[in-house]
Amino acid sequence: MTDLMGSTAHELLAQILARYGSIDVFIARLHALLDTPTVERPAAVVPAAGGRHRLAEPTGTVPMTTAAPPRPSG
């Protein structure tokens, strides 16, 4: 197969006619490909916080968000 990036419009037309027989058949084929229904995938569901893979604070420690800031020395 020839490289379509370097071919002219006449060469492209010749390839379309050789493969499909006419421009009308080629365009009908394009419409058939575009008109097929789209497969819809289900939306991703975000897991709720606190799942089994959530990192938990070790027992007996103070969470970092409630600890007092360090006191300035001096």
Side-chain angles (χ1 to χ4, degrees):
M1 187 167 164
T2 59
D3 181 23
L4 293 179
M5 296 302 290
S7 64
T8 64
H10 294 286
E11 292 170 349
L12 179 59
L13 178 61
Q15 289 180 9
I16 290 172
L17 292 176
R19 181 174 291 178
Y20 297 98
S22 72
I23 294 294
D24 292 329
V25 173
F26 174 68
I27 291 176
R29 174 76 174 136
L30 289 179
H31 280 287
L33 291 174
L34 291 174
D35 290 339
T36 56
T38 303
V39 176
E40 292 187 26
R41 305 281 182 188
V45 178
V46 178
R52 69 179 187 170
H53 295 291
R54 180 174 181 250
L55 295 176
E57 294 287 333
T59 55
T61 62
V62 178
M64 293 180 68
T65 57
T66 60
R71 295 175 65 132
S73 61

